[in-house]
Amino acid sequence: MKKMIIYLYLFLLFISCSSVPQRDNFETDDLQIKIEIIEEKSEIGIKLICENISHKLIHIPLFYLTFNNSSRKNLRNNWFLITDKTNTCVKYYGDYFEPPVKMKKNDFQTLKPNESVEIFVEHISFNYDLEPSSEYFISYLGPLGESNKVVLIY
């Protein structure tokens, strides 16, 4: 009887662990990253579009898709490359966070082939040292891959 309980426990453990996606389920080649500048009122934002261009189901940690929100102005990481006309990197003032060590099933965004997710990143000028009346070049350069480069005239 004790042996049967141990087998049942191991079986349940196996089933529960197999339903949680692996942390590094995707490769950067699986995603196409595009960014667009969003200007609302006097605030600059970025729309980040992540599209699954692979032929498989992928699981992206939500940590990589969470930047900030309206109640939190600081970005979580410096995953944007912003340069000026002289190709000098703009200083970043936001936070730096490490990804969580343990993740649960609901800590992932699942994307089917050709499916995409859009993320709106707010408060860019709060996190980067942008000078008024200047031109900048912005691209995403983070754990999801690299994006196109867009021009921002601030």
Side-chain angles (χ1 to χ4, degrees):
M1 182 68 174
K2 193 174 185 180
K3 205 175 202 181
M4 181 71 143
I5 291 173
I6 291 173
Y7 285 129
L8 180 61
Y9 176 75
L10 290 174
F11 174 75
L12 292 175
L13 183 65
F14 175 77
I15 295 296
S16 66
C17 289
S18 64
S19 64
V20 176
Q22 294 300 310
R23 182 176 176 154
D24 295 319
N25 174 262
F26 72 96
E27 300 290 329
T28 55
D29 292 344
D30 294 340
L31 293 170
Q32 180 177 25
I33 312 295
K34 296 180 197 170
I35 62 170
E36 299 173 7
I37 299 295
I38 307 293
E39 295 183 56
E40 288 186 13
K41 298 177 182 168
S42 62
E43 186 53 51
I44 304 297
I46 296 175
K47 179 166 68 169
L48 182 79
I49 305 158
C50 303
E51 182 182 359
N52 179 358
I53 57 172
S54 74
H55 299 290
K56 63 183 179 181
L57 194 69
I58 61 173
H59 306 284
I60 303 170
L62 287 175
F63 179 83
Y64 296 152
L65 301 175
T66 307
F67 292 85
N68 60 7
N69 56 42
S70 56
S71 64
R72 177 185 167 76
K73 285 188 173 184
N74 280 11
L75 292 178
R76 295 179 80 178
N77 281 299
N78 183 17
W79 291 336
F80 291 100
L81 176 62
I82 302 180
T83 57
D84 62 15
K85 283 185 194 180
T86 63
N87 207 27
T88 303
C89 289
V90 173
K91 185 164 177 59
Y92 172 72
Y93 294 112
D95 295 328
Y96 290 95
F97 286 90
E98 290 293 323
V101 176
K102 292 186 177 184
M103 300 177 112
K104 300 175 187 138
K105 186 176 182 178
N106 59 350
D107 290 335
F108 293 84
Q109 170 76 47
T110 301
L111 291 179
K112 297 174 186 171
N114 300 314
E115 188 176 27
S116 63
V117 62
E118 292 183 359
I119 301 103
F120 295 95
V121 184
E122 303 173 300
H123 311 294
I124 296 301
S125 60
F126 182 82
N127 289 275
Y128 291 92
D129 188 17
L130 302 178
E131 295 290 326
S133 304
S134 297
E135 183 176 85
Y136 297 98
F137 303 94
I138 303 175
S139 59
Y140 171 86
L141 185 60
L144 301 175
E146 294 183 40
S147 74
N148 56 313
K149 188 182 286 189
V150 294
V151 177
L152 167 68
I153 300 174
Y154 181 60

